[in-house]
Amino acid sequence: MSSLVEQSKRSAAFAAVDKHVLPSVRVLGIGSGSTVVYAVDRLLELKNQNKLNPDLVCVATSFQSKQLITDAGLRSADLDDLSILDPEQGGFKSIDVTIDGADELNAIKGGGAAHLREKLVANASNKFVLIADSRKDSQLLGEKWDKGIPVEVSPLAWRTISRQLERMCSIQSGAVSLFELQAPVAQLRQAVRKAGPVVTDNGNFILDVHVGKIYDPPAVEQLFKMIPGVIEVGVFSGMADEAWFGNEDGTIACRIPKSEMKKLD
């Protein structure tokens, strides 16, 4: 991977952290993926400059992000533990902001098989911010990400779930097409440097479901989730408040809802 791509990821991560992780932030969600590494690098710099809340609590979305938090010397807590922290204040009611990566904006997630925990943390956050490089920017999901929608499923019935997904039709009840292909193609994700399938942090399998371009992300997400045994779908429909991505020319763009765009120097 070129140094320009890595620099663009770093720029997007630093910009998002500088805007959103202020001393007033007490609970921060930390996502997963290669771009999030740069976000934690910036958090460590701010920590060393005494610019973070001294009582900051970080909530990890994966084994990877928990390692990053620990290595940076930041305080870590599980999502369900927030309600019992700081008893004088009655516990934390929510996460102030979560910063996470994406496989395609705005947004497919799950390339790292962590989208169940990522969606749980995002849903518990007052603000959800995505970071990526410009290769991930897309106006229509599926334009650039060609590895399929990550779907976390129960290992007990992954073959059955796979067949049920592949029997789904793009056109539902005579309406317009939900996705490009006539029917999905589901593949069990195989591990690298390990024999057998990828096993998530939650002990489940991942099906990568190929549908081509996605015309109605919320409908596709709900359609897949109707199948018993589907635990979570890597489509994050309308969840992100902002999406930051770095360009190879050094500029940073920030997309906010309704496709409004700001370009920053």
Side-chain angles (χ1 to χ4, degrees):
M1 189 175 297
S2 74
S3 58
L4 287 177
V5 170
E6 290 303 313
Q7 181 60 45
S8 67
K9 290 158 66 172
R10 182 180 183 274
S11 297
F14 273 46
V17 169
D18 286 348
K19 178 180 177 182
H20 292 289
V21 187
L22 305 175
S24 58
V25 170
R26 300 190 65 189
V27 185
L28 174 66
I30 302 292
S32 306
S34 59
T35 310
V36 171
V37 173
Y38 294 112
V40 176
D41 286 346
R42 182 55 176 159
L43 289 173
L44 180 56
E45 290 182 1
L46 294 176
K47 174 178 177 285
N48 292 336
Q49 297 167 11
N50 296 316
K51 292 183 178 179
L52 296 180
N53 190 306
D55 298 318
L56 179 68
V57 176
C58 297
V59 180
T61 59
S62 64
F63 184 87
Q64 178 220 16
S65 57
K66 190 162 188 177
Q67 279 188 306
L68 291 172
I69 293 167
T70 301
D71 291 345
L74 298 167
R75 182 184 178 193
S76 175
D78 291 332
L79 179 60
D80 262 6
D81 290 340
L82 295 179
S83 61
I84 61 174
L85 295 177
D86 197 8
E88 293 183 0
Q89 302 296 324
F92 295 110
K93 306 300 182 185
S94 61
I95 297 169
D96 294 316
V97 61
T98 289
I99 296 179
D100 203 347
D103 297 305
E104 186 174 31
L105 301 174
N106 184 6
I108 290 177
K109 293 181 55 56
H115 56 283
L116 170 57
R117 297 192 190 188
E118 289 170 338
K119 191 172 283 189
L120 287 169
V121 171
N123 190 60
S125 302
N126 296 330
K127 184 168 289 187
F128 181 46
V129 179
L130 293 174
I131 52 176
D133 64 86
S134 59
R135 299 171 307 155
K136 309 292 182 68
D137 183 32
S138 170
Q139 296 297 326
L140 187 68
L141 289 181
E143 281 184 335
K144 296 185 177 179
W145 180 256
D146 61 0
K147 297 180 181 179
I149 300 171
V151 179
E152 185 161 350
V153 301
S154 169
L156 297 174
W158 72 268
R159 290 185 187 275
T160 300
I161 297 166
S162 179
R163 288 194 296 269
Q164 291 173 338
L165 283 166
E166 291 183 333
R167 284 201 297 264
M168 288 184 167
C169 181
S170 173
I171 299 176
Q172 298 289 316
S173 304
V176 296
S177 297
L178 302 181
F179 43 81
E180 184 179 12
L181 299 186
Q182 211 167 24
V185 176
Q187 296 177 324
L188 180 66
R189 188 183 297 182
Q190 296 295 321
V192 177
R193 300 181 67 182
K194 167 193 173 296
V198 167
V199 179
T200 71
D201 289 350
N202 315 299
N204 301 311
F205 289 173
I206 295 290
L207 293 176
D208 290 310
V209 184
H210 298 263
V211 299
K213 296 175 184 176
I214 304 172
Y215 304 128
D216 191 339
V220 172
E221 180 182 4
Q222 290 305 313
L223 185 66
F224 285 8
K225 291 183 79 168
M226 289 174 62
I227 297 176
V230 169
I231 296 166
E232 193 51 80
V233 178
V235 176
F236 284 54
S237 306
M239 295 188 72
D241 296 289
E242 290 182 359
W244 293 72
F245 53 92
N247 301 304
E248 291 193 11
D249 64 3
T251 60
I252 306 163
C254 175
R255 181 184 298 170
I256 56 180
K258 299 181 181 179
S259 296
E260 298 173 30
M261 189 80 73
K262 296 179 180 179
K263 191 169 183 180
L264 309 174
D265 293 328

